[in-house]
Amino acid sequence: MLRPLPHLELWRWALGATCAFFVGVAKTGVPGLGILVVPLLVLAVGDARTSAGWLLPLLCAADVFAVVYYRRHAATRRLFALVPWVALGMVGGFVALGLPDVVLRRLVGGIVLAMIGVHVFRRRRAETATTPGTASGVVYGGVAGFATTVANAAGPVMNLYLLARRLPKEEFIATGAWFFLVINLTKVPLYAWRGMITAEG
């Protein structure tokens, strides 16, 4: 028996549909647009934890399309050095998901504002980007792991990291798509453990 859809006002459904559209556009060529999805979906759903759980399947679906479309251009070796630090950040994010919703909403708001700042910085400093070293990889990886686990909002940080690697456009998009596909699939059991994703929907 199918579970009925949650009762939401029409404007909330419309806002959710807009978020889904933004996710698709962000994954295939306009990365900065994705950061708007996080606060908009929280507004549509009314709960930071629930909105993160609802957003994750959309992100996974969009990641699959992006990976398939750009499959010949990925430079995944560029990401290996980030793996332990991303994992550490995800552990911190998982712990933070246990905070009361009022605290979590403020944390998500702070992450979104920080990511907007990173996005603006990236656009202004693109021409002077330098190749990140080991220490900066720790920061990029840790922040990305934490931000993506708490708010699905690590895009600007990863864009800054990949931009510093001076990748061509196709490799930039493809490598980011692979990164987020793996990370988002890893988050599924974490969100399920927190009750943010359930078999009922």
Side-chain angles (χ1 to χ4, degrees), residues 106-172:
R106 293 173 181 173
L107 181 58
V108 169
I111 290 173
V112 170
L113 290 175
M115 292 301 127
I116 291 174
V118 170
H119 179 68
V120 172
F121 174 83
R122 179 182 72 86
R123 292 181 64 86
R124 292 184 176 180
R125 295 297 184 89
E127 68 280 359
T128 59
T130 58
T131 302
T134 302
S136 59
V138 173
V139 175
Y140 283 120
V143 172
F146 183 85
T148 192
T149 304
V150 173
N152 294 308
V157 170
M158 283 308 301
N159 291 340
L160 188 63
Y161 177 82
L162 294 175
L163 182 72
R165 294 287 181 176
R166 302 184 183 279
L167 301 178
K169 180 181 178 180
E170 290 79 8
E171 286 190 13
F172 179 90

